[in-house]
Amino acid sequence: MPLVVIALANLLLSGIGITLIFNGLSVPEPTNVLIVGTIGTLFYYGFMLSNGIRHKQANCIMLVAVSMYMSIFLSSVLYSVWTFDLILSALVMAKGVLFLLILLSLYGNVLYMRAVSSYKKKRGNQRIKEPPKESVFSLFRKHKNESNNKEVYLILGESAENEAE
């Protein structure tokens, strides 16, 4: 349970950063975003490894939070280096890039989660592969090669009608 709380706290912090940029209140410095994201991620994985806990939903939440941190970081880097104020202001450009990066990262997270679930389904649902059925001709040839001692054999249960089905 605490692992989910840590992941939700990271998601909340990234949500606060996104809200600050979209409302135009302030754009955080790239180093601050990087420090907060790194500390939150290290705290999560340190807690997970020290306690030996694995939680599927917490990992998914943390994956979304880290991708949001990266989107905020790239948007704030663009805001700090944007010099083309005659075309678009730095804030408008940061908002646009942040919106596109959030869409891209959410799409990537959904693709990743679907790929993991389909891989687990496929890996868990493997059927035991049976060898292909031998044809009547190959069965006849095999029995002919086995019976070189001129004895008469009666083979029950094998016929051309059964093999066709």
Side-chain angles (χ1 to χ4, degrees):
M1 186 66 167
L3 202 59
V4 176
V5 172
I6 295 170
L8 286 174
N10 276 311
L11 189 63
L12 180 70
L13 284 175
S14 65
I16 289 171
I18 290 169
T19 305
L20 286 175
I21 293 175
F22 273 126
N23 287 339
L25 299 174
S26 73
V27 177
E29 289 292 321
T31 54
N32 294 342
V33 174
L34 191 63
I35 289 170
V36 169
T38 305
I39 289 173
T41 305
L42 288 176
F43 187 67
Y44 172 79
Y45 284 109
F47 187 80
M48 183 180 76
L49 293 175
S50 67
N51 293 333
I53 301 171
R54 294 204 177 260
H55 200 270
K56 185 175 137 180
Q57 286 82 14
N59 285 340
C60 291
I61 292 170
M62 195 62 199
L63 184 66
V64 172
V66 168
S67 63
M68 294 300 124
Y69 280 134
M70 289 191 304
S71 300
I72 296 168
F73 174 73
L74 292 174
S75 177
S76 61
V77 165
L78 181 70
Y79 178 80
S80 64
V81 298
W82 188 256
T83 58
F84 303 108
D85 285 336
L86 296 176
I87 300 170
L88 290 172
S89 69
L91 185 61
V92 170
M93 195 63 191
K95 286 180 182 180
V97 167
L98 181 63
F99 178 73
L100 291 175
L101 288 174
I102 287 173
L103 286 179
L104 186 67
S105 63
L106 287 177
Y107 180 69
N109 286 327
V110 169
L111 283 180
Y112 174 75
M113 290 175 203
R114 288 188 66 197
V116 167
S117 68
S118 68
Y119 173 73
K120 286 183 179 179
K121 280 182 190 175
K122 188 170 189 172
R123 188 184 67 186
N125 196 17
Q126 289 179 345
R127 291 181 172 71
I128 299 172
K129 295 198 175 197
E130 298 177 6
K133 292 184 179 180
E134 295 182 25
S135 67
V136 175
F137 183 70
S138 63
L139 284 173
F140 177 72
R141 190 175 350 137
K142 183 174 78 172
H143 290 299
K144 182 180 176 187
N145 291 337
E146 288 176 0
S147 61
N148 286 338
N149 55 7
K150 306 274 184 186
E151 292 183 13
V152 177
Y153 285 98
L154 180 62
I155 301 171
L156 299 176
E158 293 181 8
S159 68
E161 291 175 353
N162 289 340
E163 291 299 316
E165 294 175 2

